[in-house]
Amino acid sequence: MKIGVIGVQGAVSEHLGITRAAMERCGFTGSVEWVDRAEKLRGLDGIIIPGGESTTIGRLMQRTGMFERIREMGLGGVPIMGTCAGMILLAKVGDEQVKRTGQPLLGLVDMEIERNAFGRQRESFEVDLPITILGGEPFRAVFIRAPAVRRVWGNAQVIARFNGRIVGVLQQNFLALAFHPELTADTRLHEYFLRMCKR
Ligand code: GLN
């Protein structure tokens, strides 16, 4: 199995590390690659779009020719996990800020996203979050200038909420998380994603 982490800006190396650890735990053989140009997308069984600045990541993905290709791969069924800025990029509809800046969205998940949804006082925080698809123990979720989802429709399924706000969404081959699962030692969400990629 070959998994690619989009590495143009943001929390790239942490995702590489934890995805490799998750692969070992699942007993899957394969590699996890740093993907910074379109050619490197070829043959990937799964794509991770990390956190960072969604405006920058989106524009750099366009400049490198990866943007359209990732969109096509997603529409073709390749699993994509987007965390934080990556979640924003997966959304079909953005908030006022997204519209004002004209930042590009991949438009793959039936959700409306709100950037920086938790305000200034709560720029970053950690909570124990129950996540439906994991069952068992809650997940220690690290939020950093995180987005939230205002609403979902269609096939999107809410898998996590914090203070009533939607912070995790699963839709077919897409997994969107408002927080940073690569910043803890808990590999469960990456393992879940790798099993999506194995199908
Ligand atoms: N606030 C960032 C954005 O809107 C996302 C923050 C993050 O990925 N940690 O793009």
Side-chain angles (χ1 to χ4, degrees):
M1 127 187 304
K2 200 162 111 184
I3 306 296
V5 180
I6 303 304
V8 288
Q9 192 255 349
V12 185
S13 49
E14 293 86 350
H15 266 298
L16 290 171
I18 196 167
T19 309
R20 286 180 186 132
M23 213 179 254
E24 225 177 281
R25 289 211 170 185
C26 287
F28 298 157
T29 49
S31 63
V32 187
E33 322 263 337
W34 185 303
V35 175
D36 55 5
R37 41 196 169 90
E39 303 87 84
K40 293 193 185 168
L41 290 167
R42 206 170 299 139
L44 291 181
D45 301 300
I47 297 169
I48 296 174
I49 307 177
E53 199 53 48
S54 59
T55 46
T56 308
I57 296 176
R59 297 217 170 95
L60 289 172
M61 286 190 336
Q62 285 182 320
R63 200 175 303 162
T64 52
M66 292 195 287
F67 192 89
E68 267 315 306
R69 187 73 198 107
I70 292 171
R71 199 177 128 73
E72 283 162 15
M73 289 171 79
L75 290 172
V78 174
I80 304 179
M81 170 161 76
T83 63
C84 205
M87 176 189 232
I88 297 170
L89 286 159
L90 284 175
K92 278 197 180 158
V93 178
D95 61 3
E96 303 67 33
Q97 201 180 347
V98 170
K99 285 171 189 144
R100 186 164 14 90
T101 59
Q103 73 176 100
L105 300 181
L106 290 165
L108 293 169
V109 177
D110 294 332
M111 60 182 180
E112 178 179 339
I113 199 83
E114 180 181 338
R115 288 182 66 191
N116 306 308
F118 295 94
R120 288 241 173 88
Q121 288 95 12
R122 304 208 74 186
E123 282 233 311
S124 81
F125 55 94
E126 293 185 29
V127 289
D128 288 319
L129 204 65
I131 299 182
T132 60
I133 54 171
L134 295 182
E137 294 294 301
F139 192 91
R140 188 76 183 162
V142 182
F143 289 79
I144 305 170
R145 288 186 297 284
V149 174
R150 283 181 179 162
R151 60 188 177 99
V152 297
W153 60 93
N155 293 317
Q157 177 196 340
V158 174
I159 58 164
R161 283 178 199 268
F162 170 64
N163 275 356
R165 316 207 61 185
I166 301 168
V167 292
V169 173
L170 176 67
Q171 179 176 327
Q172 290 139 318
N173 51 316
F174 306 119
L175 180 59
L177 308 167
F179 51 91
H180 286 259
E182 78 286 7
L183 294 183
T184 57
D186 194 336
T187 54
R188 287 179 295 160
L189 281 167
H190 285 78
E191 289 177 46
Y192 187 93
F193 178 66
L194 292 178
R195 280 185 223 107
M196 286 167 62
C197 300
K198 193 74 178 175
R199 272 176 222 146

